[in-house]
Amino acid sequence: MDLGSAIVALMMVVLLKPAVMILGLRLVLRLRPAIGRAPSRSPVYAIAPEDLADARVVFWALAVFFASECMCGVEVYVVVGSSPVFSALHASLSALGMGLTGLAVARVVDRKVLRYADPGCAAARLCRGCTVQTPLGCKLRGVLELASGLAAFAAIAPFFASVKEMAADTGRWELPFPSLNAWYDAHVVPRLVATLPGYSPHGVGFSMQASELVLEYRVIPGLALALFVVAFVAARARREAVAVRVLAFGLGLVVYSLLELVLYDVTGDVILGSLGHELTELWFVVFAGEALRRTYGAEAAPPRPPQALRVLAA
């Protein structure tokens, strides 16, 4: 690689990727004790028994995300280059993790805020009384049908993208210091080639594999499109709760594909896309940690009565 792109790659390998993996593992390890079969109060998160099912979906979303980062880590630190197998595994697990994240968000928001079809449903005032149990059915069913159709249009966009392998163009990142660039190419690159078996200069080993692009621009959007059809049919069949969850999972899949489409195809730069990918993952784990703290942290738990009152109650 040229020196400029090597500096960017080094920042991703030394700073961003380890930060994402460490923070992802930290979230998984901190949430795992709180979702045991027996409701328990962990040192970090306090999860009520009625919230355990939702918290388990959150846990598996984070666990799958961390597994995808492990696949990427093998590609970066072991293979030291683009691998069709590990790239495909990384893409598949990332999409699955995003789908589970969408499902988890839908479940948590419904339980904490919307309370769909419950006596305290947030839409009851809008609907002027819940009609779910009447022959009319839910008045918001049409909204779900429309949302499923619009999401299907979004899932079609990646099918127009090319799935041809994309190699990095290191010339875009060349530093405006000819002597420094020449020194790097003459002295550092030969040592890297001799030391790292999978290393190739000038971006040859830094590419988006065709197999990964087929998954991200064809298979995953196709699966999301099928899920949106299922959500539409479920809404028409008055299975609104099922439709919302299927729609949320499918939206997670298509959001991942559209993100990759923007990062790589719109920018046209594999290195810039990879940098944006790592920054997005870092933002995701930081945001997820803050969301977990606000949802299941100590300050989100109901206040415990004083010791004296607990004794009297006993």
Side-chain angles (χ1 to χ4, degrees):
M1 287 186 185
D2 295 328
L3 180 56
S5 58
I7 293 174
V8 177
L10 189 64
M11 181 180 67
M12 289 189 286
V13 171
V14 176
L15 297 178
L16 293 178
K17 177 59 68 178
V20 171
M21 297 184 69
I22 291 171
L23 291 176
L25 178 61
R26 180 172 176 264
L27 288 178
V28 172
L29 294 179
R30 295 179 76 181
L31 185 59
R32 180 63 184 92
I35 61 166
R37 291 187 177 275
S40 61
R41 186 177 293 270
S42 76
V44 180
Y45 301 118
I47 300 178
E50 61 270 18
D51 293 331
L52 277 175
D54 299 337
R56 287 180 179 128
V57 179
V58 175
F59 169 79
W60 282 112
L62 294 173
V64 171
F65 170 79
F66 176 70
S68 74
E69 289 306 293
C70 289
M71 296 299 101
C72 186
V74 171
E75 191 177 25
V76 171
Y77 301 112
V78 179
V79 179
V80 196
S82 298
S83 165
V85 175
F86 290 106
S87 296
L89 287 173
H90 175 54
S92 301
L93 292 173
S94 294
L96 177 59
M98 286 301 297
L100 289 173
T101 299
L103 176 60
V105 170
R107 290 177 61 114
V108 172
V109 170
D110 179 59
R111 182 174 295 278
K112 296 289 186 179
V113 180
L114 300 180
R115 299 180 295 278
Y116 174 76
D118 287 343
C121 178
R125 179 177 297 181
L126 175 66
C127 298
R128 297 183 179 180
C130 183
T131 59
V132 170
Q133 302 300 329
T134 68
L136 177 63
C138 180
K139 294 180 179 179
L140 298 179
R141 183 171 65 248
V143 176
L144 285 176
E145 295 173 0
L146 178 62
S148 300
L150 293 176
F153 277 107
I156 294 175
F159 284 92
F160 293 94
S162 172
V163 294
K164 185 179 179 181
E165 181 178 346
M166 296 177 60
D169 181 8
T170 59
R172 291 186 175 187
W173 299 85
E174 186 175 355
L175 297 179
F177 307 109
S179 59
L180 185 60
N181 291 328
W183 172 86
Y184 175 81
D185 291 336
H187 295 85
V188 179
V189 169
R191 294 188 179 184
L192 291 176
V193 172
T195 305
L196 303 176
Y199 176 80
S200 298
H202 308 303
V204 176
F206 197 174
S207 62
M208 289 287 292
Q209 298 290 321
S211 57
E212 183 178 4
L213 293 174
V214 168
L215 275 171
E216 294 179 342
Y217 297 162
R218 300 293 188 270
V219 178
I220 293 171
L223 178 58
L225 187 60
L227 290 174
F228 296 145
V229 173
V230 172
F232 180 86
V233 173
R236 295 284 293 177
R238 298 182 57 175
R239 301 291 301 276
E240 292 87 356
V242 174
V244 168
R245 294 184 177 185
V246 174
L247 178 62
F249 187 88
L251 283 174
L253 296 182
V254 79
V255 163
Y256 172 77
S257 288
L258 292 177
L259 175 65
E260 295 294 282
L261 183 66
V262 171
L263 289 176
Y264 294 102
D265 274 62
V266 174
T267 64
D269 191 327
V270 174
I271 298 175
L272 181 60
S274 299
L275 179 61
H277 183 96
E278 296 300 330
L279 290 173
T280 303
E281 290 178 336
L282 181 61
W283 175 87
F284 173 78
V285 292
V286 172
F287 177 84
E290 181 64 14
L292 285 174
R293 184 185 69 82
R294 291 178 177 271
T295 305
Y296 300 122
E299 67 274 15
R304 302 181 67 185
Q307 180 67 28
L309 295 180
R310 293 202 301 270
V311 172
L312 290 176

